[in-house]
Amino acid sequence: MSPIVRVVAVICLGCAPTLRSQSGPPASPSFESGVLPVRWTDPNPDCAQAPVFRVHEYNPTLFILRQSGCTHFEKPFLYLLLGTKEALLVDTGARGADISKTVDELVRRKSVHEVNPLPLLVVHSHGHGDHTAGDTALRGRAATRVIAAQPQAIMEFFGLKDWPAEIAQYDLGNRIVDILPIPGHEPASVAIYDRRTGILLTGDTLYPGRLYVRDRRAFVESINRLVDFTRTRGVAHLLGAHIENTRTPYLDYPEGTKFQPEEHVLELGRAHLLELQEALRQMGDHLERRSFRDFTVWPIVP
């Protein structure tokens, strides 16, 4: 794509979901492409040799990091997005691993032509411990801001005044991300939409696994907001924070499983979001545990 066309695409992403020609239907959104792996596990895992975090380069400015099951059974996914002014790390992992060294290496590698590495902004998909355990190490890192996984802290940093209805925009430098509060799984849950790649990060709210719902009303309203948000924006991939399902439809791995040789792919799509919305609508005021092809609705009873 020529530089002129790319500039037009970025501008239009801020105001409309597609580019329109002078005649005919809307054109497809123009996103930076990337590659996802077929699998996230090694055929023969060796904890003595396995890295603490598996790093996958989706493209030169977006990295997906998966914590090893050898360190913690939750095996969360973390995301590192690079702008021209700042890097954004989404989540810091579970106990048993230090993400700071991996982030240092990646940021230095991508800042090789700069006098100083990119400063780092750390936010969280939500406040559970398997997504915030690395905060302490990163708070001591130079040129790093760690935003606490609490609604008030998120509101203050991004300038939100109406939680959870308002959506914030944040510019990492030639890379705008949208921050959408989506409580229901956890009070500080947010989704992050990367306009450059069309990737929607949904944390533990939607992923191929067990969708734990602690606040039915907040969860339903959050899914409705995500559906409305994506109605006018293209979604290349919907990426969550875990994989718990197997490649066999309707079947998940038991909680505590460290090695999942036949796990589901990470990526979902907007169709899964619509499927979840419809399932919640049908259940009404009384959610029940119900398995679907690629995820399970799992209400938590207080």
Side-chain angles (χ1 to χ4, degrees):
M1 176 181 289
S2 68
I4 293 178
V5 175
R6 185 177 296 276
V7 169
V8 172
V10 172
I11 291 174
C12 285
L13 281 175
C15 59
T18 56
L19 298 175
R20 291 183 178 272
S21 57
Q22 292 190 358
S23 61
S28 299
S30 178
F31 296 130
E32 290 184 356
S33 62
V35 176
L36 289 165
V38 175
R39 61 174 61 244
W40 293 92
T41 56
D42 296 323
N44 300 298
D46 180 359
C47 286
Q49 301 296 325
V52 175
F53 287 93
R54 174 172 178 166
V55 178
H56 174 75
E57 184 173 321
Y58 177 80
N59 69 23
T61 62
L62 194 157
F63 293 87
I64 304 173
L65 301 83
R66 210 266 179 96
Q67 186 170 339
S68 170
C70 296
T71 65
H72 199 284
F73 75 88
E74 291 282 11
K75 306 176 291 297
F77 287 87
L78 291 66
Y79 299 90
L80 180 66
L81 294 75
L82 305 179
T84 56
K85 298 187 302 184
E86 197 170 16
L88 173 66
L89 177 65
V90 181
D91 288 342
T92 62
R95 295 187 308 274
D98 182 355
I99 188 59
S100 62
K101 296 179 181 178
T102 303
V103 169
D104 284 345
E105 180 183 343
L106 291 172
V107 173
R108 279 199 306 267
R109 186 199 311 173
K110 291 301 176 179
S111 305
V112 66
H113 300 300
E114 303 294 333
V115 176
N116 298 306
L118 287 170
L120 179 68
L121 173 65
V122 180
V123 299
H124 308 83
S125 62
H126 61 291
H128 288 151
D130 53 322
H131 303 272
T132 63
D135 286 12
T136 300
L138 286 167
R139 284 197 178 98
R141 182 180 182 274
T144 300
R145 292 182 290 180
V146 179
I147 310 306
Q150 300 168 357
Q152 190 61 38
I154 299 168
M155 290 175 66
E156 289 177 1
F157 181 80
F158 290 108
L160 293 168
K161 302 193 184 313
D162 185 9
W163 180 281
E166 194 175 358
I167 299 171
Q169 293 78 42
Y170 189 82
D171 190 357
L172 299 168
N174 196 31
R175 184 178 216 132
I176 295 175
V177 293
D178 296 280
I179 312 295
L180 296 78
I182 51 170
H185 172 73
E186 196 275 336
S189 293
V190 298
I192 297 172
Y193 179 73
D194 176 31
R195 297 188 188 183
R196 274 175 61 169
T197 60
I199 286 177
L200 180 64
L201 304 178
T202 51
D204 280 9
T205 296
L206 180 54
Y207 65 95
R210 297 178 289 275
L211 310 182
Y212 297 116
V213 181
R214 290 170 172 81
D215 183 330
R216 184 203 65 82
R217 179 175 178 179
F219 191 86
V220 170
E221 291 176 351
S222 295
I223 297 305
N224 290 340
R225 282 197 300 275
L226 282 174
V227 169
D228 290 343
F229 179 84
T230 56
R231 186 173 286 116
T232 57
R233 296 162 179 85
V235 177
H237 300 293
L238 189 155
L239 304 180
H242 301 279
I243 298 174
E244 293 166 349
N245 270 33
T246 72
R247 293 177 183 268
T248 302
Y250 299 93
L251 181 64
D252 60 3
Y253 283 99
E255 183 177 358
T257 302
K258 292 185 176 182
F259 177 56
Q260 302 174 171
E262 295 299 325
E263 68 182 4
H264 196 287
V265 296
L266 172 64
E267 62 271 21
L268 298 178
R270 186 172 187 265
H272 293 93
L273 188 59
L274 296 174
E275 182 182 18
L276 176 56
Q277 182 189 46
E278 177 60 19
L280 297 172
R281 186 194 67 78
Q282 290 182 10
M283 291 185 202
D285 293 337
H286 303 286
L287 297 190
E288 62 186 38
R289 187 182 303 180
R290 187 183 300 179
S291 295
F292 295 85
R293 187 185 188 281
D294 303 298
F295 57 83
T296 300
V297 174
W298 198 293
I300 301 296
V301 179

